[in-house]
Amino acid sequence: MTKSIVLYLHVHQPYRIRHYTALDSGNSHAYFNAPYESKASNERILKKVAEKSYIPTNHRLQRMIEHNPGFKLSMSITGTVLEQLEQWAPEALRSFQELVASGHVEIVAETYHHSLAFFYSRNEFEAQVTQHRAKIQQLFGQTPQVFRNTELAYNNDVAYWADKAGYKGILAEGWDPVLGWRSPNYVYRPAYTDNIRLLMKNYKLSDDIAFRFGDRNWSEWPLTADKFSHWLSENDKATNFNLFMDYETFGEHQWGESGIFDFLEHLPKQWLKTTRHEFMTVSEVCDAFEPADYVDVPRTITWADTERDLSAWLGNRIQQQAITALYELHDKIIATNDSSLIEDYRRLQTSDHFYYMCTKWFNDGDIHAYFSPYDSPYEAYMNFMNAYHDVRFRLAEKGVAV
Amino acid sequence: MRVLMLGWELPPHNSGGLGVACYNLCKALARRNIDIEFILPYQADHGIDFMRVTAASPQGVEAILRSGIAYDSNKYIYSDGTAVEYSIFDQQQLYETAVGRIVVANQYDIIHAHDWLTFRAGLRAKQALGCPLVVHAHSIEADRAGGQGGNPMVREIEDMGFHMADRIVAVSDFTRRAIAREYDIPLDKIEVVHNSLETGDLVPLDYMQPNTYQYLATLRAQGYRVVANVGRLTIQKGLPNLLRAAKIVVEKHPKTMFLLVGSGEQYVELIQLAADLGIAKNVIFTDFQRGRPWRDAYAVADLFVLPSVSEPFGLTPLEAIGYGTPSLISKQSGVSEVLHHALKVDYWDVNEMANQIIAVMSNDSLRDELLANASQELRGLSWGQAADKISALYTRHVASGAAA
């Protein structure tokens, strides 16, 4: 029987808000231009990630494609990172374009601004998905056929929407309470849909690479491509292994010194040694296998934390306050037709801003455990709200009642 | 283990954090079966049963009347009826003499002296008893002087105490580094034992009575928000910067009131500054308070601000949280090492201080989220952790003293 690895990498960078104070509100409309040396400098971070992760990883992936005609992967890449690449790392953008031009890479649909708009404004959500599709067509000449929502936030409604929108497949976390006795290593059908297919992340195998790879205390360290392929070969009850992870796993979360690039490069060689072992892109796997069952997900799941819910983004008062206030402005902002105001408004919707406001791990040991350019979640919130107030100020300046 | 504890004040006759910290630390040590004799420079009833409290009266003195806070002069009344007012420096010497007299008649395993006022007495006792001396720095002269310098006579005593002691305890890493910097003491001679606060030790608010500050409570109902500071009005506490920030806050958020509870040498200066800044009607001074008016000041506020220039620990933000108000604290403080769920600012950054105050004044959910998380953090603190470290330190030094 054919067995496939479905490798899917997510590329994203937000527009981080600079130290933007109550005294800036109403005086400066530049929220995202932190000084280069500051922790929140988008330019500095993007250039660093491009150098440490995007360029070397794309280089390896290109070589893997040349050496292994059977190697394929899927990728999602947000509008906010594409714009930053255009501005600050055009050579990295070119390396993505060359990779996609090889024909071995499928691009996945999502919101342009990596937002949680689906849960707050369907109009806004659809506008951002459309904007993303246009950007992908413009830069890569592809039209995405499979959808992923921000942070893999998924429920029956998201699947229903994606089905009606004509997508072939949708991605979600293969979270045990949702899967029950089922394995993530098959294609499923979302409940209440007809045509769309559901691909669920095998988080154990994915996290072996994304989180545990460089951990010397892990009992399986060092993980080699040979060993990993062997685990997959041993598994008889599977058609597809969905390895979903952040692109920045390569070179940024796992440093080059950990051997992660060599692992990546050897994986197709090892895996493709055996006949009927394949790599498939997300839409290929949707076409290749019949759904094993349907999966009912009434409550939203994500790919984050042990809770696998939205609590990292929306779990506390300040997060709730910030996102509710932001979406309350939606209709008024769109009605202005002011493209720079609308774009700033959309950049503020990026989910990372709310993640930085998460207080649940903010104590002694964990302070460095998550990626935030701010000293505290409260600082993130204050900067955000001051920017929000300036957006309201800009509305009021136009004579709109706020 | 018998400890000679040398301190300058204990509640309820305290002027500030020093007495409270000594009291709580001794109480937690007593629970670990440590036998403490606490020598104070004055006589008073403290209602303490977990240790012996002894007054170090000079010969022939009938009574010592405290004239104010711990660092003011006290009036000594002799048995012949004469009364003499001694300066703090003279008292410190009288205390040393009295301690010298007390120790010869008693046995102790270790001496533990709190702050410079007791250091000479500690050294005298060490000389007489031959047992190890621990000096405990709740603040140093550089803190009290607002970050640098200070009284050279006090510095000399601190210098001697830190060098001659067998071990130094600092209430924060901030203070540990200050001691190393100011007195060239190696960092590894100094151990950090953070102060603490146990919510159970706070006298609960009296919800049956209206808050003392009815005017502020009424303004709050009309949409005003209240910033409070509780502490001595002295250069160390950085209050002029709070007032400068207040001016910016009031411009952006006119419905903000500032409540300053405390007394000190900057009292008049601060009142003048508030007037010069044109924010006199937004700033209320209450003078020194204890008891209900003190508790109610915390409770009526939406944000407590500790703008200190150099704060070795800073218990007040924890007290504020205990009474339901989150904090904005100076980064130049020891308390910021134990309290994560607080807003933090460099004391000199007036604009940022204003920015953060405005954020809380204009946003109740920020206040509520800070408070919810800080309250949880506060519940995790206890004096037991401090007492464990101190008692381990005693054991180590007594054992090595015996071996020598």
Side-chain angles (χ1 to χ4, degrees):
Chain A
M1 194 179 71
T2 301
K3 271 199 279 191
S4 276
I5 289 179
V6 183
L7 178 63
Y8 155 74
L9 305 177
H10 174 54
V11 190
H12 169 60
Q13 293 295 330
Y15 277 101
R16 295 161 196 84
I17 303 173
R18 70 174 167 97
H19 181 233
Y20 185 87
T21 72
L23 312 181
D24 290 317
S25 292
N27 291 315
S28 156
H29 306 323
Y31 318 134
F32 309 107
N33 61 337
Y36 192 81
E37 290 311 318
S38 118
K39 279 205 285 182
S41 166
N42 295 308
E43 181 181 355
R44 186 180 53 77
I45 295 171
L46 187 96
K47 284 179 169 167
K48 188 189 79 176
V49 178
E51 186 200 334
K52 287 189 74 173
S53 176
Y54 300 155
I55 291 171
T57 308
N58 283 343
H59 179 72
R60 295 281 178 135
L61 289 170
Q62 194 76 49
R63 235 171 38 198
M64 288 156 72
I65 289 166
E66 284 160 15
H67 296 165
N68 309 281
F71 176 66
K72 290 168 187 171
L73 75 154
S74 309
M75 199 180 272
S76 60
I77 178 160
T78 62
T80 54
V81 72
L82 285 171
E83 281 181 27
Q84 295 186 54
L85 288 169
E86 285 175 316
Q87 193 178 354
W88 294 313
E91 72 286 12
L93 177 61
R94 260 195 314 279
S95 72
F96 277 112
Q97 287 171 317
E98 283 162 17
L99 200 63
V100 175
S102 72
H104 290 245
V105 180
E106 175 178 339
I107 297 190
V108 175
E110 65 182 317
T111 59
Y112 189 96
H113 295 87
H114 200 260
S115 75
L116 297 169
F118 183 85
F119 303 101
Y120 292 89
S121 166
R122 196 60 60 88
N123 286 340
E124 178 64 14
F125 169 76
E126 290 181 352
Q128 290 179 17
V129 174
T130 306
Q131 194 182 350
H132 182 254
R133 183 169 56 227
K135 188 80 177 172
I136 296 300
Q137 285 167 339
Q138 175 216 328
L139 290 176
F140 299 102
Q142 254 193 39
T143 301
Q145 301 179 66
V146 170
F147 182 76
R148 69 150 245 152
N149 198 15
T150 305
E151 311 296 356
L152 292 200
Y154 176 91
N155 60 28
N156 290 337
D157 290 340
V158 182
Y160 185 83
W161 175 86
D163 189 31
K164 292 287 168 257
Y167 289 101
K168 210 178 246 191
I170 184 165
L171 311 186
E173 175 73 8
W175 186 223
D176 310 68
V178 166
L179 277 167
W181 54 271
R182 292 164 293 204
S183 151
N185 306 331
Y186 292 94
V187 172
Y188 291 96
R189 177 176 66 78
Y192 315 109
T193 64
D194 303 318
N195 305 312
I196 196 167
R197 299 291 175 255
L198 174 60
L199 303 179
M200 303 190 85
K201 169 182 165 183
N202 185 320
Y203 71 86
K204 293 188 188 82
L205 291 172
S206 302
D207 292 353
D208 285 342
I209 301 170
F211 296 121
R212 289 182 281 272
F213 184 84
D215 179 3
R216 288 168 182 253
N217 296 319
W218 180 36
S219 59
E220 298 294 346
W221 187 90
L223 181 63
T224 60
D226 187 12
K227 188 198 280 185
F228 192 78
S229 296
H230 182 69
W231 290 347
L232 270 48
S233 312
E234 293 279 279
N235 191 332
D236 286 336
K237 295 199 168 54
T239 53
N240 47 290
F241 299 102
N242 300 328
L243 306 180
F244 299 175
M245 62 199 76
D246 282 334
Y247 191 98
E248 293 84 3
T249 296
F250 302 97
E252 178 71 16
H253 303 173
Q254 303 291 340
W255 291 3
E257 292 81 355
S258 70
I260 191 77
F261 289 118
D262 293 333
F263 172 86
L264 183 64
E265 200 165 342
H266 283 98
L267 185 61
K269 286 192 190 122
Q270 289 298 334
W271 177 248
L272 296 171
K273 269 182 188 169
T274 309
T275 50
R276 313 213 64 182
H277 277 187
E278 295 183 17
F279 280 85
M280 286 185 184
T281 68
V282 284
S283 64
E284 285 174 342
V285 77
C286 290
D287 290 335
F289 303 108
E290 280 305 304
D293 196 358
Y294 74 93
V295 177
D296 187 9
V297 186
R299 252 186 280 169
T300 308
I301 56 169
T302 69
W303 69 354
D305 314 338
T306 46
E307 291 96 341
R308 299 297 204 284
D309 59 14
L310 281 167
S311 62
W313 296 272
L314 305 172
N316 70 32
R317 290 171 197 79
I318 55 178
Q319 292 169 318
Q320 287 283 347
Q321 182 81 22
I323 201 164
T324 310
L326 190 68
Y327 281 104
E328 274 170 6
L329 295 182
H330 174 263
D331 294 352
K332 290 172 184 167
I333 297 274
I334 301 304
T336 64
N337 246 338
D338 175 338
S339 59
S340 103
L341 178 59
I342 293 172
E343 184 52 30
D344 281 347
Y345 175 69
R346 288 188 166 149
R347 286 180 184 182
L348 290 174
Q349 292 178 38
T350 299
S351 68
D352 304 58
H353 301 308
F354 307 100
Y355 190 79
Y356 301 145
M357 297 176 203
C358 180
T359 50
K360 61 182 174 175
W361 321 289
F362 183 64
N363 56 41
D364 220 10
D366 298 329
I367 184 163
H368 305 293
Y370 71 101
F371 298 83
S372 170
Y374 309 108
D375 287 339
S376 81
Y378 308 107
E379 191 191 327
Y381 175 70
M382 288 189 284
N383 291 335
F384 181 92
M385 288 308 283
N386 289 330
Y388 157 81
H389 282 301
D390 188 69
V391 165
R392 282 184 76 191
F393 169 81
R394 289 160 74 181
L395 270 180
E397 259 190 333
K398 292 174 184 290
V400 180
V402 293
Chain B
M1 178 80 65
R2 190 156 158 72
V3 180
L4 174 68
M5 196 73 79
L6 304 175
W8 206 250
E9 59 170 33
L10 284 174
H13 307 283
N14 63 307
S15 63
L18 174 63
V20 177
C22 287
Y23 175 90
N24 285 306
L25 177 62
C26 289
K27 198 165 132 190
L29 283 169
R31 273 189 234 124
R32 281 153 183 75
N33 289 323
I34 295 196
D35 181 9
I36 301 167
E37 174 155 14
F38 198 106
I39 316 268
L40 277 175
Y42 61 91
Q43 279 158 330
D45 184 16
H46 293 90
I48 287 172
D49 58 3
F50 54 83
M51 64 181 174
R52 209 168 118 200
V53 180
T54 307
S57 316
Q59 220 151 15
V61 170
E62 290 283 290
I64 302 166
L65 303 180
R66 293 166 56 85
S67 61
I69 68 163
Y71 306 104
D72 287 342
S73 57
N74 282 354
K75 190 180 277 182
Y76 285 62
I77 300 171
Y78 285 85
S79 37
D80 63 3
T82 55
V84 183
E85 216 164 283
Y86 288 111
S87 75
I88 188 76
F89 207 78
D90 294 336
Q91 284 175 64
Q92 177 256 154
Q93 284 175 326
L94 289 171
Y95 179 80
E96 179 194 344
T97 316
V99 168
R101 263 190 313 110
I102 292 168
V103 297
V104 291
N106 292 285
Q107 286 291 317
Y108 305 96
D109 298 307
I110 194 161
I111 308 153
H112 190 158
H114 297 267
D115 272 3
W116 75 273
L117 285 159
T118 71
F119 283 5
R120 284 178 61 119
L123 290 168
R124 163 92 60 114
K126 177 178 163 68
Q127 202 170 26
L129 297 165
C131 58
L133 168 67
V134 178
V135 301
H136 199 129
H138 296 260
S139 70
I140 63 172
E141 185 61 9
D143 297 317
R144 292 183 292 265
Q148 55 192 325
N151 183 335
M153 276 156 58
V154 174
R155 289 186 65 98
E156 194 178 309
I157 293 172
E158 288 186 339
D159 188 63
M160 185 170 63
F162 291 138
H163 278 98
M164 305 282 280
D166 296 275
R167 188 79 178 154
I168 302 165
V169 173
V171 292
S172 61
D173 192 53
F174 177 76
T175 298
R176 176 171 164 260
R177 288 176 189 283
I179 294 169
R181 182 183 68 236
E182 298 285 325
Y183 297 108
D184 285 328
I185 303 286
L187 279 170
D188 61 8
K189 187 180 176 177
I190 315 168
E191 182 159 337
V192 175
V193 178
H194 285 116
N195 286 343
S196 193
L197 179 77
E198 294 180 14
T199 42
D201 290 340
L202 293 173
V203 177
L205 295 170
D206 184 355
Y207 291 104
M208 302 306 284
Q209 294 192 56
N211 186 289
T212 307
Y213 307 94
Q214 267 310 291
Y215 171 50
L216 293 176
T218 308
L219 286 180
R220 285 193 77 245
Q222 292 185 15
Y224 277 78
R225 291 293 175 261
V226 178
V227 174
N229 172 270
V230 176
R232 277 181 296 124
L233 308 183
T234 180
I235 184 169
Q236 177 186 357
K237 302 296 179 180
L239 293 161
N241 282 356
L242 176 58
L243 290 182
R244 289 184 195 106
K247 181 181 171 54
I248 302 170
V249 173
V250 170
E251 278 165 15
K252 287 274 171 186
H253 195 272
K255 288 189 166 186
T256 308
M257 295 297 289
F258 291 80
L259 176 64
L260 303 190
V261 179
S263 61
E265 82 274 358
Q266 284 190 326
Y267 202 166
V268 175
E269 181 190 331
L270 290 169
I271 290 173
Q272 183 67 49
L273 179 59
D276 291 347
L277 292 167
I279 52 167
K281 71 184 171 62
N282 296 79
V283 186
I284 294 175
F285 293 89
T286 70
D287 209 336
F288 182 80
Q289 300 294 333
R290 60 170 81 245
R292 198 164 77 88
W294 173 80
R295 293 189 289 276
D296 283 355
Y298 287 126
V300 79
D302 296 278
L303 181 68
F304 181 86
V305 181
L306 180 86
S308 298
V309 170
S310 182
E311 188 69 68
F313 188 77
L315 202 60
T316 48
L318 300 181
E319 290 171 342
I321 292 159
Y323 288 118
T325 299
S327 292
L328 164 58
I329 59 184
S330 155
K331 288 182 185 173
Q332 288 69 35
S333 74
V335 68
S336 73
E337 294 164 25
V338 298
L339 181 63
H340 298 92
H341 289 283
L343 303 182
K344 298 183 183 181
V345 69
D346 289 306
Y347 77 87
W348 42 261
D349 195 346
V350 170
N351 282 336
E352 181 58 18
M353 198 183 294
N355 175 42
Q356 299 198 12
I357 293 171
I358 292 165
V360 178
M361 295 301 102
S362 54
N363 202 316
D364 290 349
S365 48
L366 177 56
R367 175 195 66 199
D368 297 345
E369 184 65 30
L370 272 164
L371 179 63
N373 296 313
S375 301
Q376 204 175 354
E377 215 178 354
L378 183 61
R379 281 194 292 274
L381 299 180
S382 93
W383 278 99
Q385 298 148 7
D388 285 340
K389 280 193 185 175
I390 298 273
S391 85
L393 182 157
Y394 287 165
T395 310
R396 248 178 7 248
H397 280 273
V398 170
S400 67

